[in-house]
Amino acid sequence: MANVTRRQFLSSLAALGASVAVPSAWLMASRIVQASDEINLNPDAKDMAGWKISGAHWGAFRARVEADRVLEIKPFEFDKHPTDILQGTLDVIYSPSRVRYPMVRLDWYRKKQNSNRAERGDNRFVRVSWDEALDILYSELERIQKTYGPWALHTGNVGWRSVGQVHSCGNHMLRAVGMHGRSVGTAGDYSTGAGQVILPYVLGSTEVYSQGTSWEYILDESKVIVMWANDPVKNLQVGWNTETHEAFAYLDELKKKVADKSIRVICIDPVKSKTQNFLECEHFYVNPQTDVALMLALAHTLWKENLYDKEFIQTYTLGFEDFLPYLKGETEDKVEKTPEWAEKICGVPAAKIRELARLMAKNRTQIMVGWAIQRQEHGEQPYWMAAILASMLGQIGLPGGGISYSHHYSSVGVSSSGASMPGAFPLNLDTGRKPRYDNTDYKGYSSTMPVARVIDALLEPGKEIHFNGHQVKLPPYKMAIFSGCNQWHRHQQRNRMKEAYLQLETVVAVDYNWTATCRFADLVLPACTPYERNDIDAYGSYSNRGVIAMQKLVDPLYHSRSDFDIWYNFCKRMGREEEYSRSMNEMQWVEYLYEECRADNVRKEFPMPPFAEFWKKGYVLFPKGKPWVRHADFREDPEVNALGTPSGFIEIYSRKLASFNLSDCKGHPIWMEKTERSLGGKGSDKYPLWLQSTHPDTRLHSQTCESESRRATYTIKDREPVYISPADAKKRGIKHGDLVRVFNDRGQLLAGAHISDNFPPNVVRIHEGAWYGPTGPEVGALDTYGDPNTLTIDIRTSELAQGPSANTCLVEIEKFTGRAPAVTSFGGPQEVTVDGKPIPRQRNPV
Ligand SMILES: Nc1nc2c(c(=O)[nH]1)N[C@H]1C(S)=C(S)[C@@H](COP(=O)(O)OP(=O)(O)OC[C@H]3O[C@@H](n4cnc5c(=O)[nH]c(N)nc54)[C@H](O)[C@@H]3O)O[C@H]1N2
Ligand SMILES: Nc1nc2c(c(=O)[nH]1)N[C@H]1C(S)=C(S)[C@@H](COP(=O)(O)OP(=O)(O)OC[C@H]3O[C@@H](n4cnc5c(=O)[nH]c(N)nc54)[C@H](O)[C@@H]3O)O[C@H]1N2
Ligand SMILES: [Mo]
């Protein structure tokens, strides 16, 4: 997936899905949705005449703007299930943590690449002009290419940059830097590192980014829905493109069906999730990180009680007979995977395991797997094992049955309209001209590395690792550029990162927020927010429900500039700015992407109005697509509609994977003990509490954490909450609202104790995305706010996928009794003169 953005990846899959899903007769009858058809104008809508429109991962919205100031933001009239996250949007613009000016780290300003790197993170920066900043950036890239070569520059940037296709900031950075010279890119992402690698071997596609069976079918046909490590009510608040929140209408329906007992929903999760509380459905507790054992015991029951679908196994799968001996205890480990065996590991009584197996076999059962169980050590195994379980149930390809790995993401399950969505500003050099430094000599190092192994590359340069069937030699890069991702939020194990960063000569961050990634950079460039520029975006990531205008609300604040502007001016230093922009400005690009999309849709009989009309109105909506069943075509004819696996069938045993001969991913899924596991597992004597760092209910990762008004709704003593069970709190003398220290051998942080019945003993949670705020730059410094990646472990999921393992983490918690240091995460840099004298930062000098 190197150099393929998630959107491109999605649109190619969506296109595939659409061609299967949408019969042409229906296409012929299509039309634009009229406001009166589908928009229940909400009561506020009539007051919103003249308000501007824009979009975000957390939904489309209207903004009241007066005298170049955004005064109010309300959900777009179409959005019937807006999220509270939207309330953070105003503060995104006016946050005290904005990057205001181009800034250079004090010691780097003085000594350039020979700076004292251990000072990184002390947050002292010198303000420079845009000209000086871009000259510095340009000459650094010249130096890197001349002194080293393309292996020395890291540009891996797959992250949750804002929506908007013209200003897709990663594309701008890659295109501009790519005109200058080559660099090291990354493969995969932090979301589904393990899942997207294992599932193509098993089911023939990543599945995690695939459109899933439509909710209509699920609501009509499913009798049992198993939400396995899955919290859609929390996670559907955001989407990869501007989110429509249409999936919530179906979740409302599901709630009714749970109440009238026509569908049983079972949430298999150590924690009582937001979804389980919302649906008021059944909670099925499992010990953390032990799902594979539970799945094996379910499979064992299906086999032992002859409940599995032999015909399905025979017709659609390969290798069951190679897997069965492991289940029966006839392989090396000599352990039969009985419910009694599993009970000791997963904590679920054997009788309850049998009961669940029978329930799933006797009813139309839809399994929906979330992603957190593959964001842990051996995360490939539960994904593969869940596919085997679903194969044994024999319902894959039936409406309301089978398995899905994506129904908690970006409104998957809301059917696709079939319309085309706007393309993006091109990331690749497409002009036929070569980069200024056309050096392809990577000195034997790989030009692409798995994204979660970027810190390994600094600490173990030149190490050869396996990655998805080939060898990767980790490049000892000297310079890194980050844009549209927050590396010092997303990556694991802060103190290890600090040590690794000592290897870096120069670090550049482009952001609108003064995140920890900026704090630990040498050169910081102020991007403007998406609300300070014009753009266009898809409305709905998979539903392709429409096209949204992102109308500039206000001019860029302070000295910030759009990413387009930044890199256009960078390209001037090579005299290639017109080639970069194709001689089109921002608004011309918006119109160009719209017209391209419109031409496509005219061919598909989805008429769209002329650009000026669209821009004035602010959106185009398309009719909802036809319901669809995932894998139905495969079920209908497995020869003609073969899967993308080596054999074309579901691979219960994979010869290909077995041939890689890996220590931690074999020819079929197996149960493996973890490096760290609670409840008697390794390390639990010293650190008994399992820390899960799930995705925040109140934010998108680190985005909107900068909003003071939003933080006020969830922080405790100004710190990120750590959720803890009443029993664990009591044992430690901790009361709700106490300041606590959470620690292990990797780090320590302050957090606010939030005692909750949703959490069982030995399980605690800190949401990912909490801004890292160390007391100082040194290794081991206390994090004052509560970033869970201060504590997580930076190990691979396996040799196969090399994904991140954030959810393999043990900690201890104690009441904090000392004098609490102030939170250092927010409010920007400490500006200093070139002599190091502090310059006070005004609170909001717009
Ligand atoms: N412990 C733990 N860690 C995790 C996870 C976990 O479950 N547990 N989850 C992982 C997952 S799944 C993911 S996807 C990652 C997310 O990691 P990231 O994608 O890095 O997270 P974000 O906080 O969304 O960071 C996006 C950054 O881009 C900036 N940005 C937004 N718009 C623009 C723009 O237009 N221009 C520029 N220049 N910058 C912009 C934002 O201000 C923000 O700093 O985190 C991973 N990390
Ligand atoms: N509001 C909001 N929504 C988001 C995001 C966000 O930041 N905020 N981020 C988006 C992104 S980039 C991604 S990748 C997805 C993430 O989607 P996921 O990775 O699926 O989400 P998480 O919230 O990390 O975890 C989901 C559930 O898994 C459970 N779980 C964790 N470990 C285990 C385990 O060992 N066994 C079992 N059975 N359950 C376990 C957790 O308790 C939680 O209820 O969410 C997306 N949606
Ligand atoms: Mo993600």
Side-chain angles (χ1 to χ4, degrees), residues 60-272:
F61 62 88
R62 297 277 183 183
R64 181 161 69 88
V65 183
E66 275 169 29
D68 208 30
R69 177 109 197 159
V70 186
L71 299 174
E72 201 179 348
I73 278 174
K74 284 188 179 173
F76 175 39
E77 334 41 304
F78 180 82
D79 190 342
K80 300 192 187 87
H81 297 83
T83 150
D84 289 349
I85 300 175
L86 186 65
Q87 293 166 15
T89 313
L90 241 179
D91 283 7
V92 167
I93 307 171
Y94 299 112
S95 144
S97 300
R98 284 282 301 259
V99 183
R100 296 174 180 173
Y101 314 104
M103 303 296 276
V104 182
R105 185 168 66 81
L106 176 62
D107 205 54
W108 200 97
Y109 188 82
R110 291 168 171 163
K111 305 194 202 103
K112 302 231 168 342
Q113 73 271 18
N114 301 315
S115 76
N116 178 357
R117 299 169 196 170
E119 280 183 17
R120 269 202 203 105
D122 75 5
N123 213 20
R124 290 184 300 163
F125 281 78
V126 175
R127 176 172 161 183
V128 296
S129 69
W130 265 111
D131 268 348
E132 190 174 357
L134 290 178
D135 285 345
I136 289 174
L137 175 57
Y138 190 76
S139 61
E140 268 306 278
L141 288 174
E142 287 277 304
R143 184 181 69 79
I144 291 289
Q145 293 290 354
K146 278 191 214 148
T147 323
Y148 305 111
W151 58 268
L153 177 64
H154 168 59
T155 53
N157 73 91
V158 188
W160 277 75
R161 50 80 180 162
S162 301
V163 303
Q165 298 305 313
V166 173
H167 289 284
S168 180
C169 61
N171 290 19
H172 283 280
M173 188 264 276
L174 287 173
R175 183 174 171 87
V177 173
M179 281 184 163
H180 183 266
R182 293 170 203 280
S183 63
V184 178
T186 53
D189 55 45
Y190 286 77
S191 308
T192 63
Q196 66 179 258
V197 171
I198 187 74
L199 289 179
Y201 292 98
V202 179
L203 289 165
S205 91
T206 74
E207 297 296 312
V208 290
Y209 298 136
S210 304
Q211 177 60 293
T213 296
S214 306
W215 280 105
E216 284 89 342
Y217 278 120
I218 293 168
L219 290 167
D220 282 352
E221 306 287 343
S222 303
K223 288 286 164 280
V224 174
I225 299 175
V226 177
M227 302 260 185
W228 206 308
N230 201 346
D231 196 355
V233 174
K234 171 168 73 65
N235 288 345
L236 288 171
Q237 293 177 87
V238 304
W240 181 244
N241 288 99
T242 301
E243 180 52 52
T244 65
H245 299 124
E246 283 177 282
F248 284 93
Y250 299 105
L251 290 165
D252 285 343
E253 285 301 304
L254 184 57
K255 186 178 166 73
K256 287 186 204 142
K257 293 197 177 248
V258 169
D260 71 20
K261 299 198 171 12
S262 50
I263 298 182
R264 275 182 79 171
V265 180
I266 300 168
C267 291
I268 305 184
D269 200 310
V271 176
K272 289 184 186 160

Side-chain angles (χ1 to χ4, degrees), residues 6 158-162 167 169 190-191 375 483-487 489-492 510-513 515 527-528 530 533 563 693-695 700-703 768 788-789 792 806-807:
R6 184 155 14 187
V158 188
W160 277 75
R161 50 80 180 162
S162 301
H167 289 284
C169 61
Y190 286 77
S191 308
R375 216 175 292 114
S483 175
C485 66
N486 185 356
Q487 183 72 356
H489 130 60
R490 72 177 175 176
H491 198 82
Q492 282 61 61
V510 190
D511 208 309
Y512 60 77
N513 259 331
T515 60
C528 66
R533 59 199 193 200
D563 293 274
S693 41
T694 51
H695 288 232
L700 169 61
H701 313 299
S702 73
Q703 298 185 54
E768 55 104 283
N789 282 324
T792 52
N807 284 321

Side-chain angles (χ1 to χ4, degrees), residues 550-742:
M550 295 175 67
Q551 299 164 344
K552 186 205 260 194
L553 307 183
V554 289
D555 284 330
L557 263 60
Y558 314 106
H559 287 191
S560 69
R561 290 178 174 179
S562 73
D563 293 274
F564 190 164
D565 238 34
I566 293 171
W567 294 103
Y568 177 84
N569 280 291
F570 166 86
C571 287
K572 276 189 181 164
R573 270 114 184 120
M574 297 181 279
R576 293 177 77 166
E577 69 276 16
E578 294 308 308
E579 183 190 341
Y580 171 78
S581 65
R582 294 194 193 156
S583 299
M584 290 194 284
N585 64 23
E586 172 191 79
M587 215 44 217
Q588 287 166 327
W589 268 100
V590 175
E591 184 166 354
Y592 171 77
L593 294 183
Y594 179 84
E595 287 301 345
E596 227 187 18
C597 172
R598 183 175 165 214
D600 235 28
N601 280 329
V602 164
R603 269 195 300 280
K604 292 178 157 188
E605 314 232 353
F606 288 99
M608 288 165 71
F611 178 73
E613 206 178 299
F614 156 76
W615 192 254
K616 188 155 174 262
K617 188 174 178 198
Y619 62 90
V620 180
L621 293 175
F622 302 113
K624 200 183 272 184
K626 267 207 145 181
W628 181 78
V629 178
R630 178 140 198 90
H631 294 131
D633 53 342
F634 169 66
R635 189 175 185 107
E636 195 178 293
D637 191 334
E639 305 285 337
V640 174
N641 305 314
L643 299 178
T645 54
S647 64
F649 296 104
I650 298 170
E651 299 211 355
I652 291 175
Y653 184 91
S654 163
R655 271 168 216 245
K656 185 101 194 167
L657 286 173
S659 77
F660 296 159
N661 221 353
L662 305 176
S663 62
D664 44 15
C665 191
K666 305 287 187 188
H668 61 73
I670 57 172
W671 160 250
M672 280 176 277
E673 196 39 90
K674 314 294 163 202
T675 299
E676 278 178 22
R677 189 165 72 77
S678 53
L679 298 156
K682 248 192 262 171
S684 62
D685 43 350
K686 189 167 179 197
Y687 296 113
L689 305 174
W690 176 61
L691 173 73
Q692 55 160 226
S693 41
T694 51
H695 288 232
D697 188 24
T698 52
R699 302 186 289 261
L700 169 61
H701 313 299
S702 73
Q703 298 185 54
T704 71
C705 192
E706 73 272 21
S707 163
E708 292 180 344
S709 62
R710 289 288 291 152
R711 278 209 310 283
T713 65
Y714 60 84
T715 50
I716 288 179
K717 294 217 159 64
D718 293 333
R719 325 283 155 153
E720 185 74 9
V722 55
Y723 296 87
I724 183 170
S725 67
D728 281 321
K730 192 167 172 218
K731 208 190 262 178
R732 291 164 179 80
I734 293 168
K735 286 196 283 304
H736 187 87
D738 277 352
L739 195 60
V740 295
R741 190 174 76 103
V742 189

Side-chain angles (χ1 to χ4, degrees), residues 117-122 488 494-496 498-499 502 520 746 748 772 774-783 790:
R117 299 169 196 170
E119 280 183 17
R120 269 202 203 105
D122 75 5
W488 285 73
R494 293 289 165 261
N495 288 311
R496 188 171 188 260
K498 280 188 190 169
E499 277 164 18
L502 298 175
F520 282 86
R746 292 181 289 273
Q748 50 168 345
Y772 182 56
T775 48
E778 67 282 0
V779 169
L782 179 72
D783 168 24
T790 309

